[in-house]
Amino acid sequence: MSDIPSDLRYTEEHEYLKAAGDDAVYVVGITDYAQGELGDVVFVELPEAGSSFNRMEVFGTIEAVKAVSDLYCPVDGTVVEVNAALDDDPSLVNSDPYDTGWMIKLRVDDDDEVRGLLTSDGYADHVG
Amino acid sequence: MSEQLERTPLYDRHVAADAKIVPFAGFEMPVQYPTGITAEHRAVREGAGLFDVSHMGEFVVRGPQALELIQHVSVNDAAKMEVGQAQYSAMCLEDGGIIDDLLIYRFRGHYMLVVNASNLAKDWAWIERQSEAFECELEDVSERTGLIALQGPAAREILRPLASIDVDDVKYYRFSEGSVAGAPAVISGTGYTGEDGFELYVDANDAPRVWDALLDEGSGAGLIPVGLGARDSLRLEMGYALYGSDLDEQHTTLEAGLGWVTKLDKGDFVGRDALLAQKEAGVVRRLVAMSLQTRGFPRPGYDVTHGGEVIGKVTSGTVSPSLGIGVAMGYVPTELSKPGTMLQIDVRGRPIEVAVQRAPFYTGGSIKR
């Protein structure tokens, strides 16, 4: 069974959003389920801080041993920080997806959009 | 696919170890264990890994003209083999296209051919048809043969206390008959990883017992089971070609870098005329090893380009776990196949510089030639 923390929000594309403390800023990464499906992550390509993305726009890619997959921006927003540690150790995405394996911090344009995402129960149903 | 998948005699061990099982060449095979491909790869480079390769096919050839049949279907010169020796070779169609690559073992009274699981039925049909002209008998012993590969710098010391023979007598591409953990075994100094190690042919019924004994003996030396995922990245770091990816019926041994096993002067064999003609006319494309100069993951099927023009495709590619760089193989025009030639691989719309180089990519292996 994969880990699905109850205090996060999720997308059907297997990303999570976690409140970063600061208003309207969320930590974005991929779920434990997603990292398990992908297998060993070889590297992660992330955008520059300051770039803006619309919901469902590709903001990066994950290259794993088995496959490459795009990262979709879960809601409209602007990247305020990227996880530079993934450059040196992309395996953090596998070993610690919800903490040190995060990908970007996103200042969202509209907080209501976040509340419209899946809850942990909804995501658990989604991954079956 | 309604076809029933086969299982190796070690299937239950893989399930018990919580391996991720995938269909491969008609078998349910472990692609990785919970350790993950990268960790399994490292284990083989630094300690040792245990592979179930029982899906491979084994054919026994015996009779007065066994050697003649093998000389007829194989491009290498089996007449040069001594008893106790193994030889890498390939079988070709009349037009020189590769039917399969294989290992040939010379025993005292017979030969054994070891073929890829994905080609087992095709190879059997081919050899059986060719054998009609020769006085010999063929037997497919694949189902009753278990094959376990023990690979890595620690492999020799792990096998030593379990083997009935002195493992140091098993040189590179040589084999001995003895026993492992009490089970009769052919102990072969071969492998597909670039590391020192052995391939152990045992009775299918004994395979689980031998597997358990090896894992038990090797636990202190870091021995872990390794799946097909790491098997692929290990062989790719060495630039070893894989049938179905780098080798196929559309390419000849001369194009595939197997000229060194293609003995055109050994006498007649299937494909020789075509290969001779190709050699005389000049081989126009070659399988090359390419290393990426910047970050990127070259995947099979990606275009290889030169000056903006597509000149080939990636046949195998990965990010080398040992080296941390993208490595790939593919066929390119001969004039662009020299080591040092700069080409590009189109990685999802982005051209990444690659340098053609000599294989292997990884030169730190413990293999003892």
Side-chain angles (χ1 to χ4, degrees):
Chain A
M1 266 314 287
S2 66
D3 182 22
I4 306 175
S6 60
D7 55 337
L8 310 186
R9 293 287 176 155
Y10 299 89
T11 70
E12 293 189 353
E13 291 72 40
H14 308 287
E15 278 129 18
Y16 68 80
L17 278 83
K18 178 164 80 172
D22 197 354
D23 257 2
V25 175
Y26 291 83
V27 176
V28 179
I30 64 163
T31 65
D32 184 39
Y33 173 83
Q35 72 76 20
E37 289 295 299
L38 276 174
D40 291 359
V41 173
V42 177
F43 51 76
V44 184
E45 296 206 21
L46 296 173
E48 304 272 324
S51 27
S52 294
F53 295 91
N54 294 322
R55 185 180 127 69
M56 288 306 287
E57 204 180 332
V58 173
F59 74 81
T61 55
I62 299 185
E63 292 273 7
V65 174
K66 275 177 284 177
V68 56
S69 58
D70 287 323
L71 292 162
Y72 296 95
C73 203
V75 293
D76 298 355
T78 302
V79 176
V80 295
E81 192 182 341
V82 301
N83 186 0
L86 295 185
D87 254 353
D88 290 334
D89 188 2
S91 73
L92 294 173
V93 175
N94 295 115
S95 58
D96 196 15
Y98 295 116
D99 193 7
T100 55
W102 64 278
M103 291 174 186
I104 58 170
K105 289 182 184 168
L106 189 71
R107 182 178 299 283
V108 307
D109 294 350
D110 178 1
D111 240 346
D112 282 345
E113 264 198 286
V114 177
R115 282 187 283 276
L117 296 174
L118 296 171
T119 61
S120 56
D121 286 347
Y123 182 66
D125 285 346
H126 175 61
V127 299
Chain B
M1 285 271 293
S2 58
E3 204 182 330
Q4 183 69 38
L5 290 170
E6 292 185 66
R7 293 175 175 176
T8 76
L10 295 164
Y11 175 80
D12 292 345
R13 293 296 188 276
H14 308 319
V15 172
D18 206 16
K20 194 170 281 184
I21 306 282
V22 298
F24 179 84
F27 284 80
E28 292 187 84
M29 296 298 289
V31 67
Q32 65 171 86
Y33 298 84
T35 35
I37 292 174
T38 310
E40 291 166 29
H41 184 107
R42 290 220 174 95
V44 175
R45 291 274 178 253
E46 292 162 12
L50 202 60
F51 305 73
D52 175 16
V53 276
S54 304
H55 58 308
M56 307 276 295
E58 293 88 11
F59 305 151
V60 167
V61 189
R62 60 178 93 237
Q65 289 192 304
L67 175 61
E68 284 77 3
L69 169 65
I70 290 167
Q71 289 290 62
H72 181 67
V73 297
S74 160
V75 301
N76 207 336
D77 189 357
K80 292 260 164 63
M81 295 172 73
E82 296 165 14
V83 171
Q85 193 174 350
Q87 183 182 69
Y88 179 66
S89 187
M91 296 191 294
C92 288
L93 294 163
E94 286 290 358
D95 70 0
I98 303 168
I99 298 173
D100 201 2
D101 63 334
L102 74 164
L103 281 181
I104 302 167
Y105 287 81
R106 185 180 172 191
F107 289 80
R108 200 160 295 282
H110 67 275
Y111 291 86
M112 177 172 73
L113 312 182
V114 182
V115 303
N116 283 298
S118 53
N119 291 329
L120 201 154
K122 175 182 81 167
D123 291 352
W124 176 258
W126 173 259
I127 297 168
E128 198 172 42
R129 184 143 55 89
Q130 301 300 320
S131 74
E132 286 165 11
F134 299 92
E135 198 181 325
C136 61
E137 292 148 43
L138 285 177
E139 189 184 2
D140 179 357
V141 297
S142 307
E143 274 193 37
R144 59 174 153 90
T145 305
L147 178 52
I148 296 171
L150 171 65
Q151 301 276 302
R156 194 164 291 269
E157 295 319 312
I158 293 167
L159 184 60
R160 191 182 301 281
L162 295 173
S164 64
I165 52 135
D166 182 351
V167 292
D168 291 333
D169 290 342
V170 183
K171 310 286 188 208
Y172 188 61
Y173 271 79
R174 300 277 164 167
F175 67 93
S176 293
E177 292 174 86
S179 66
V180 174
V186 173
I187 302 168
S188 169
T190 49
Y192 199 43
T193 63
E195 299 297 333
D196 192 23
F198 304 90
E199 292 180 305
L200 309 169
Y201 297 84
V202 298
D203 190 284
N205 295 319
D206 291 330
R209 181 156 64 94
V210 174
W211 179 266
D212 292 345
L214 287 163
L215 278 179
D216 191 39
E217 183 66 40
S219 60
L223 179 66
I224 56 171
V226 178
L228 293 176
R231 181 169 162 82
D232 195 53
S233 53
L234 287 159
R235 68 92 192 169
L236 191 42
E237 281 187 347
M238 295 306 294
Y240 295 157
L242 172 66
Y243 198 92
S245 297
D246 315 301
L247 308 178
D248 56 32
E249 293 184 358
Q250 278 66 56
H251 295 93
T252 70
T253 54
L254 302 182
E255 294 168 333
L258 300 182
W260 63 283
V261 298
T262 308
K263 302 296 160 61
L264 295 169
D265 55 359
K266 75 164 186 175
D268 197 29
F269 61 88
V270 184
R272 178 171 177 262
D273 292 347
L275 292 167
L276 264 178
Q278 186 179 47
K279 191 177 181 185
E280 261 166 46
V283 177
V284 299
R285 55 184 180 177
R286 287 180 188 277
L287 183 65
V288 295
M290 297 169 279
S291 53
L292 275 65
Q293 306 298 295
T294 54
R295 193 166 80 165
F297 198 128
R299 294 186 190 274
Y302 286 2
D303 286 336
V304 181
T305 64
H306 178 68
E309 215 176 302
V310 177
I311 55 157
K313 281 197 188 305
V314 173
T315 52
S316 287
T318 192
V319 172
S320 157
S322 303
L323 306 171
I325 58 164
V327 297
M329 305 218 292
Y331 288 91
V332 302
T334 298
E335 63 270 22
L336 296 172
S337 68
K338 266 215 199 74
T341 306
M342 298 307 291
L343 306 171
Q344 294 83 39
I345 290 177
D346 185 340
V347 177
R348 290 162 43 97
R350 213 169 30 169
I352 304 267
E353 266 324 273
V354 300
V356 175
Q357 67 160 87
R358 272 180 228 290
F361 298 106
Y362 178 74
T363 53
S366 57
I367 199 162
K368 291 180 174 69
R369 288 180 197 281

